[in-house]
Amino acid sequence: MPVAQFQNIENIRLPAKPLHLAIGMFDGIHLGHRAVIDMAIQSARRSGGLAGVLTFAPHPTVLLRPDNPTRLICNPGTKARLLAETGVDFVATQQFTPGFAQVEAEDFIPLLLRHLPRLNTIYVGENWRFGRARRGDMTMLVAATKPRGLTVMSVSRVNENGEPISSTRIRACLEDGEIEAANIMLGYSYFAEGVVMPGKALGRDLGYPTLNIPWEPGLRPRLGVYAVEVSGEKAPGKYRAVANYGLRPTVENSTQPRVEAHLLGPCPFTGGDQVRIDWLRFIRPEMKFANVNELTAQIAKDRAEAEAFFDLA
């Protein structure tokens, strides 16, 4: 059954059941976020209520710090889909407008209750802040909810390698090419999605045909070569590959990076196919070579390293 999606809290329409609501930005929907959301789901299932997520778009820094906004791991569409896949009954995306940014912390709970009268419990991360200028903290949230008969559940941060998992930490890993560390904290493989576009067939001419996927995420991971898996609706399963995400400096002066994936076996995908690319290991940074022969020799080494990673060599 499709998960209900709502834009803005005033548009939420739900059955008359107790509501367990997880609230947060949830960029990346990492393991720490899932701990918050899972608690809401478990409580709702035990009580016969509904579990939902309230998140926000765009990121508040787009409005509050337009010259240097936070670059996001997930675009809004991907985030909404990943949130729906957690098992909640609905996802509400509140637009972070200038008007919403002016809502005082003291007015936030009354605003929620006006549109969600059956709200029962709120689930947030322990460091969550709310209201204008982020004045609201856990102490204020509990003080605002208790007289109204609501419960607040503050979920402790999840640690990985002795440090709390956070979207900020994952972003740093992606920018540094530490894809395996990022994947551990995400709880799934970081991925790119897009439509295969016709290329210049240079890879095919060099003996390494590629799928060319234009892709421009909010946060660019490190440019370079990766061991990846390619999948799509056209063919079942995942296909092992080596991919370059970059500007292709040896063969053109591009300013827009794209993904070029060379499958290690037969390729069922062609132009126009929608594909997903799961990033598994960083092999090397993108480099400019003196000539095409040097590039071809390096591609052979990259393929061999990807095969070794997949234990296919």
Side-chain angles (χ1 to χ4, degrees), residues 114-134:
R114 188 156 61 247
H115 300 293
L116 302 172
R118 293 188 177 271
L119 183 60
N120 180 284
T121 307
I122 293 172
Y123 304 81
V124 294
E126 63 183 8
N127 62 333
W128 187 64
R129 304 298 293 254
F130 63 99
R132 187 167 72 91
R134 291 169 50 86

Side-chain angles (χ1 to χ4, degrees), residues 142-246:
V142 171
T145 54
K146 191 173 181 179
R148 295 175 169 88
L150 304 180
T151 300
V152 173
M153 299 297 294
S154 172
V155 182
S156 299
R157 303 181 79 172
V158 176
N159 286 349
E160 164 58 31
N161 199 24
E163 296 290 336
I165 293 174
S166 69
S167 299
T168 299
R169 188 177 167 197
I170 293 170
R171 292 184 196 111
C173 284
L174 293 174
E175 291 182 312
D176 291 342
E178 297 174 5
I179 194 68
E180 290 165 294
N183 288 345
I184 289 171
M185 291 187 286
L186 287 169
Y188 60 89
S189 296
Y190 178 73
F191 62 91
E193 293 178 304
V195 176
V196 178
M197 302 294 289
K200 297 181 179 179
L202 177 61
R204 185 180 61 197
D205 293 343
L206 298 178
Y208 298 97
T210 60
L211 300 173
N212 303 294
I213 302 99
W215 178 64
E216 183 56 33
L219 174 85
R220 286 184 182 179
R222 187 177 184 183
L223 301 185
V225 177
Y226 294 80
V228 303
E229 289 181 326
V230 182
S231 58
E233 292 184 1
K234 184 176 183 179
K238 293 187 176 183
Y239 294 79
R240 294 164 171 175
V242 58
N244 183 74
Y245 174 60

Side-chain angles (χ1 to χ4, degrees), residues 7-224:
Q7 291 295 316
N8 298 317
I9 57 175
E10 62 264 27
N11 296 320
I12 298 175
R13 301 293 182 269
L14 299 170
K17 295 182 178 181
L19 173 57
H20 297 261
L21 187 66
I23 307 177
M25 193 65 211
F26 298 134
D27 182 34
I29 307 92
H30 57 61
L31 292 178
H33 297 149
R34 289 170 189 262
V36 176
I37 296 167
D38 286 348
M39 184 173 285
I41 294 170
Q42 292 165 13
S43 296
R45 299 298 175 259
R46 286 195 301 266
S47 65
L50 298 173
V53 166
L54 173 62
T55 190
F56 308 92
H59 194 280
T61 56
V62 172
L63 181 67
L64 304 176
R65 202 176 65 213
D67 293 338
N68 185 30
T70 297
R71 292 171 294 169
L72 299 182
I73 300 166
C74 292
N75 64 42
T78 299
K79 183 171 81 168
R81 190 177 78 245
L82 290 175
L83 286 171
E85 291 172 359
T86 63
V88 295
D89 297 300
F90 73 92
V91 176
T93 302
Q94 174 65 43
Q95 296 304 300
F96 199 87
T97 62
F100 186 79
Q102 293 303 310
V103 174
E104 296 288 351
E106 294 86 352
D107 297 328
F108 181 68
I109 294 302
L111 174 66
L112 284 184
L113 287 172
R114 188 156 61 247
H115 300 293
L116 302 172
R118 293 188 177 271
L119 183 60
N120 180 284
T121 307
I122 293 172
Y123 304 81
V124 294
E126 63 183 8
N127 62 333
W128 187 64
R129 304 298 293 254
F130 63 99
R132 187 167 72 91
R134 291 169 50 86
R135 282 182 51 245
D137 58 11
M138 286 306 306
T139 300
M140 187 177 291
L141 185 60
V142 171
T145 54
K146 191 173 181 179
R148 295 175 169 88
L150 304 180
T151 300
V152 173
M153 299 297 294
S154 172
V155 182
S156 299
R157 303 181 79 172
V158 176
N159 286 349
E160 164 58 31
N161 199 24
E163 296 290 336
I165 293 174
S166 69
S167 299
T168 299
R169 188 177 167 197
I170 293 170
R171 292 184 196 111
C173 284
L174 293 174
E175 291 182 312
D176 291 342
E178 297 174 5
I179 194 68
E180 290 165 294
N183 288 345
I184 289 171
M185 291 187 286
L186 287 169
Y188 60 89
S189 296
Y190 178 73
F191 62 91
E193 293 178 304
V195 176
V196 178
M197 302 294 289
K200 297 181 179 179
L202 177 61
R204 185 180 61 197
D205 293 343
L206 298 178
Y208 298 97
T210 60
L211 300 173
N212 303 294
I213 302 99
W215 178 64
E216 183 56 33
L219 174 85
R220 286 184 182 179
R222 187 177 184 183
L223 301 185

